[in-house]
Amino acid sequence: MMGKAGSALYHALRRFAGRQDQKKNSHEKDNAPRPHSSLEGNASREPQKTGCAFHDAAKRWLTGRRGNFSNPFFILLSYLVSMEERLRDIAPVSCDEYENYFKKRCTVREFPFEIPFGPVEQTGDIMQFISRFDHAYLSRMVQSVFIGLIAFLVRSRGRIDLLDFGAGQTCGMYGESGRFLFTEGKVNTDAVSFWAIDDLHEPKGSVFRKSRYRQCNILSFDPREKFDLITGHHVLEHCHDWSAVVGHVAGLLKKDGYLYLSFPRFGGFYDTVYRLMSPLDHCADFDLHALEAVAGRAGLEPCLSDVYVDPNGKFDWICSFYPELVDKQIADCFYDLCVGIDAKLLLGYHHYGHYVVFRKVSG
């Protein structure tokens, strides 16, 4: 099942194409002279105002909507504003400290190819650096790991069988709006035999010529073939019996097949926000360690686990929960307040969660 948050990566990928067209202009702006900052080169750690503009916008929004004081979004936004005010005089982290936060949380074990990730230019403005770094890290996840893994399997195996569960109506990133990813990644889509299934919709419209679709629950899906790669983006957190799902998809993999999953960090701020706004939606209660333990018993070996950020999608999905109350502007303020807090304390408030890759080694 692809829920409101489950479609966040899909919408982020659609925005990727627009970002590519903006690179030239962005590069010219990046090279323009910048005012001197006390943090230039991370030489010092002086207090820095990281969130005045969006803090003030959030305060005005809250003042004008006091009648919504019991709404979860109102309560959470009030909390973020209060938190930002208490951190006002605390020095921000350095660019190196922010980058090291990711390095410490990235684990690579016998991944089949080198994952490229170039240096991100450090600036005196930590908020600007976080934006640049997060965009680069999202590109690493989508283009280097996800598309890279499909391209690697096609090159090394000639043709592959691919299953996406929780695909949604239009196959998400495997649909037409994601075609540019496969073009840029030089993936021979004719070499992919694709299955898309979804519990709520019958998927359609993938970029693969050899495609089959079915509306069904993943636990009832029992095809004749095994798969080289199975993917599930923002699906597992919606599954009551998530461990049974992991065991079932492990059984659908070929030996040396791969499983790619993305999901929120259980108990993290993003996951907490979603559960408060949609109490019946995120029903699973696993964390990364529990997932790895269940996967291990199913014959899966972890190859990669990393932090999942989405500076394109941000918290836009909140607008769909409260369309009469929350527009994109205030949803962006909500996200920016989270970034501002992370610029001081590195709590991962604006991070979505994790993405992981497992390899089938037995069973």
Side-chain angles (χ1 to χ4, degrees):
M1 179 179 74
M2 180 178 282
K4 292 182 177 68
S7 63
L9 180 59
Y10 161 56
H11 291 299
L13 292 173
R14 292 183 65 180
R15 280 185 281 270
F16 252 174
R19 287 194 64 247
Q20 305 306 313
D21 295 335
Q22 296 169 3
K23 278 186 176 180
K24 183 175 183 292
N25 292 335
S26 297
H27 178 73
E28 291 170 355
K29 291 178 182 178
D30 291 345
N31 288 331
R34 296 191 184 92
H36 173 74
S37 166
S38 60
L39 284 181
E40 195 71 46
N42 296 318
S44 62
R45 287 282 307 275
E46 297 299 324
Q48 179 184 18
K49 293 184 178 180
T50 57
C52 291
F54 42 82
H55 167 272
D56 293 344
K59 288 279 283 187
R60 289 193 299 270
W61 188 93
L62 290 167
T63 300
R65 292 164 179 81
R66 288 175 177 163
N68 297 285
F69 65 90
S70 62
N71 178 276
F73 179 78
F74 186 99
I75 295 168
L76 288 163
L77 184 63
S78 299
Y79 163 75
L80 291 175
V81 167
S82 175
M83 185 79 156
E84 197 276 337
E85 289 172 349
R86 282 181 285 166
L87 298 177
R88 189 66 59 86
D89 295 327
I90 293 180
V93 300
S94 68
C95 297
D96 287 335
E97 286 171 322
Y98 187 77
E99 190 166 353
N100 285 335
Y101 174 94
F102 286 79
K103 289 179 179 179
K104 291 176 181 177
R105 287 160 178 80
C106 176
T107 303
V108 182
R109 307 184 190 100
E110 297 185 19
F111 198 71
F113 56 88
E114 191 73 24
I115 305 170
F117 186 68
V120 179
E121 180 188 359
Q122 297 189 0
T123 71
D125 184 338
I126 186 61
M127 296 289 286
Q128 184 182 70
F129 175 77
I130 288 175
S131 176
R132 289 181 180 180
F133 186 90
D134 286 359
H135 278 101
Y137 222 73
L138 176 61
S139 178
R140 166 191 162 100
M141 181 184 84
V142 175
Q143 295 172 304
S144 300
V145 176
F146 173 72
I147 297 296
L149 182 57
I150 297 174
F152 167 81
L153 291 173
V154 169
R155 286 195 305 268
S156 59
R157 302 183 183 186
R159 59 165 301 279
I160 65 169
D161 295 296
L162 166 61
L163 165 66
D164 184 51
F165 66 103
Q169 277 184 298
T170 57
C171 294
M173 69 186 69
Y174 296 113
E176 281 299 327
S177 59
R179 183 179 290 276
F180 75 96
L181 291 169
F182 295 91
T183 301
E184 292 180 357
K186 299 180 180 179
V187 177
N188 178 11
T189 56
D190 288 340
V192 178
S193 295
F194 180 65
W195 261 107
I197 68 170
D198 191 272
D199 194 21
L200 300 179
H201 312 280
E202 182 172 350
K204 60 181 179 180
S206 89
V207 299
F208 305 110
R209 186 168 55 85
K210 304 171 186 175
S211 294
R212 284 172 285 181
Y213 311 101
R214 183 179 298 174
Q215 181 179 350
C216 69
N217 187 286
I218 180 61
L219 291 175
S220 64
F221 182 66
D222 190 20
R224 294 178 181 177
E225 66 266 48
K226 300 289 187 180
F227 295 92
D228 298 276
L229 174 63
I230 298 176
T231 61
H233 298 282
H234 277 278
V235 180
L236 207 56
E237 66 270 24
H238 300 280
C239 301
H240 287 281
D241 198 354
W242 64 269
S243 58
V245 171
V246 173
H248 184 69
V249 296
L252 297 178
L253 281 172
K254 298 176 183 178
K255 178 72 183 304
D256 290 323
Y258 291 87
L259 172 64
Y260 180 108
L261 300 169
S262 65
F263 49 89
R265 177 167 57 95
F266 178 63
F269 188 73
Y270 163 80
D271 183 59
T272 300
V273 169
Y274 199 100
R275 288 174 188 264
L276 287 172
M277 294 185 183
S278 184
L280 301 179
D281 208 352
H282 283 193
C283 52
D285 61 353
F286 66 91
D287 60 16
L288 185 58
H289 298 297
L291 174 61
E292 290 184 347
V294 168
R297 292 194 290 271
L300 301 175
E301 182 178 83
C303 297
L304 170 69
S305 65
D306 206 350
V307 177
Y308 169 16
V309 293
D310 184 4
N312 289 333
K314 300 184 179 181
F315 281 80
D316 288 359
W317 52 268
I318 295 176
C319 302
S320 62
F321 282 134
Y322 307 113
E324 303 300 320
L325 181 65
V326 180
D327 60 16
K328 178 167 171 52
Q329 184 176 10
I330 194 60
D332 284 351
C333 280
F334 189 94
Y335 177 84
D336 290 337
L337 282 165
C338 291
V339 176
I341 291 169
D342 285 337
K344 301 291 185 72
L345 297 183
L346 283 179
L347 296 175
Y349 270 29
H350 76 286
H351 299 161
Y352 266 50
H354 305 281
Y355 68 97
V356 296
V357 178
F358 294 98
R359 183 172 64 92
K360 179 74 172 287
V361 293
S362 64

